[in-house]
Amino acid sequence: MKFVVDGDKNQYTDFIKSHPKGHILQSLEWAQVKEENWRSMHVMVEDEGRIRASMLLLLRPLPLVGKYMIYSPRGPVCDMCDFETLKFLVENVKKLAKKHGAIMLKIDPDISIKDREAVNNLKKLGFIQNLEALNFEAIQPRFVFRLDITPSLDELLARFHHKTRYNIRLAQKKGVRVRLGSREDLKEFHRIMEITGIRDGFVVRSLEYFERMYDCLKPKGFMELALAEYDRKVIAGIICLFFGQKCWYLYGASSNEHRNVMPNYLLQWEMIKLAKERGCTLYDFRGVSGDLNPENPLYGLYRFKKGFSGEFTEFVGEYDLVFSPLWYTIFQKGVPVFRDLRRKLTLVLKKAKMKL
């Protein structure tokens, strides 16, 4: 087997597009989205002229210490039960990581918690589970709903919860209109996203970030922005990513006005239809909480996505390969505190700004 660093880009892209574990977050275009704060490398394992495994590696410097963390979102892309190939990949990535002064390699692979062989292989290679995240503590969601969209539209609609079907038809009856948006529409989407963030207590990325996403992904057909309009106003929006035969619902936003006309239900339905038109077989609703207690503030999001009758999927979560135990301990203790303080401060400032 041969380990290739920053090899043929088309070969790399074709591999992850066609692989069952391929993911948009492993694409070179996603690396471009993140390049403001992360530099990237892509690696492949070749064997007898064909690729057997690949990984996108994102490197980020840690403040003040001159060290790096390496993160491979939803990587690696390979058969995680093929231990020899996985071992060859990880051992070579480990050498590369140490060469760049990394304290750790973090992965959150597209592996179901039920796949015990894959989990055991990671442990045999020295990976440790980072945390048992039930809500959204991790970088990527651990719990998602995934919908097989190979059945006909009529069959899909019939499988939805009756309340979901009712809300889709209510939006249509009330005159909600869904259209695909342009780059210029990102400004309005971001404005509504800010309203959503303040209402639900999460920090929203900058408009510049969404514009960079659009510039990197849209020309390749990997991103679509859809907007729901009512009474000539944009009242909700959604961003979906497309790659290979998969579609991911990445961001959603809704204003505080006209929520009773159920625009979010119609947006999801229209994007499911678009995904089918583009040959997708899977629609991923992305994150929900793993705490299914109705008292959980996130239960409403779970109920909304569950109504589309996708499969509730739990991934294995984050696994870390540690190269520097001391710096890793400092990182583990310091980062959550910093993120929580930053989130609280940002929300306070945005709420104050909204009142002005």
Side-chain angles (χ1 to χ4, degrees), residues 68-346:
Y68 283 85
M69 71 165 287
I70 298 183
Y71 174 45
S72 184
R74 290 296 187 234
V77 178
C78 65
D79 178 359
M80 300 289 284
C81 295
D82 179 355
F83 183 73
E84 292 306 314
T85 299
L86 182 62
K87 180 181 178 182
F88 183 81
L89 172 66
V90 171
E91 286 180 345
N92 281 279
V93 169
K94 187 188 299 186
K95 294 175 185 176
L96 196 62
K98 290 182 177 179
K99 180 181 176 181
H100 285 83
I103 67 167
M104 59 180 286
L105 165 66
K106 180 182 292 292
I107 64 173
D108 43 26
D110 187 338
I111 303 173
S112 167
I113 194 70
K114 299 175 183 177
D115 192 343
R116 301 315 304 170
E117 183 179 359
V119 172
N120 289 336
N121 283 344
L122 288 177
K123 291 179 179 178
K124 282 194 286 186
L125 292 171
F127 283 90
I128 58 174
Q129 189 170 26
N130 181 25
L131 76 165
E132 291 279 355
L134 276 180
N135 293 315
F136 293 101
E137 299 92 340
I139 301 175
Q140 302 300 329
R142 184 173 174 182
F143 302 89
V144 303
F145 273 108
R146 286 179 153 182
L147 179 65
D148 174 7
I149 58 173
T150 55
S152 70
L153 290 176
D154 288 341
E155 289 175 299
L156 287 172
L157 192 62
R159 294 176 186 179
F160 294 170
H161 189 276
H162 67 89
K163 190 66 174 178
T164 299
R165 291 197 303 272
Y166 174 83
N167 286 336
I168 290 171
R169 289 165 179 155
L170 174 66
Q172 294 170 329
K173 182 178 179 181
K174 292 291 185 180
V176 177
R177 187 174 71 92
V178 172
R179 66 174 175 86
L180 296 183
S182 65
R183 190 179 192 275
E184 185 63 25
D185 288 314
L186 286 171
K187 294 177 183 177
E188 183 64 11
F189 173 80
H190 187 260
R191 184 187 71 81
I192 298 175
M193 194 78 187
E194 291 276 23
I195 293 171
T196 307
I198 291 173
R199 183 178 68 230
D200 296 341
F202 63 85
V203 175
V204 176
R205 292 188 180 274
S206 68
L207 173 60
E208 290 73 21
Y209 180 83
F210 287 103
E211 290 174 337
R212 187 163 64 251
M213 275 185 57
Y214 192 94
D215 293 340
C216 294
L217 302 178
K218 174 62 177 176
K220 296 290 186 70
F222 295 164
M223 171 183 165
E224 286 294 351
L225 165 69
L227 301 171
E229 296 179 331
Y230 178 73
D231 195 23
R232 299 183 180 180
K233 294 180 181 178
V234 175
I235 59 171
I238 184 175
I239 287 178
C240 284
L241 303 185
F242 299 79
F243 196 73
Q245 293 183 307
K246 300 174 185 176
C247 176
W248 294 266
Y249 161 43
L250 191 64
Y251 291 108
S254 60
S255 69
N256 292 329
E257 299 176 335
H258 306 302
R259 297 176 72 189
N260 60 313
V261 298
M262 304 300 170
N264 297 317
Y265 288 88
L266 185 58
L267 278 166
Q268 293 290 343
W269 177 232
E270 292 299 326
M271 293 306 272
I272 288 171
K273 292 196 291 185
L274 181 62
K276 275 188 68 68
E277 287 176 16
R278 294 190 176 185
C280 293
T281 60
L282 182 73
Y283 188 90
D284 192 323
F285 286 89
R286 294 267 292 173
V288 293
S289 173
D291 176 6
L292 305 186
N293 183 344
E295 300 300 318
N296 186 329
L298 295 171
Y299 185 76
L301 181 65
Y302 167 84
R303 186 174 54 198
F304 168 71
K305 294 182 179 182
K306 184 177 186 294
F308 292 88
S309 299
E311 180 184 2
F312 182 65
T313 303
E314 179 182 357
F315 294 120
V316 295
E318 293 183 356
Y319 274 78
D320 297 343
L321 190 60
V322 179
F323 309 129
S324 174
L326 175 61
W327 284 114
Y328 179 76
T329 301
I330 294 172
F331 175 86
Q332 288 292 90
K333 292 183 180 297
V335 168
V337 174
F338 171 76
R339 285 178 178 167
D340 188 53
L341 288 173
R342 183 180 62 179
R343 182 185 68 84
K344 289 178 179 177
L345 178 60
T346 302

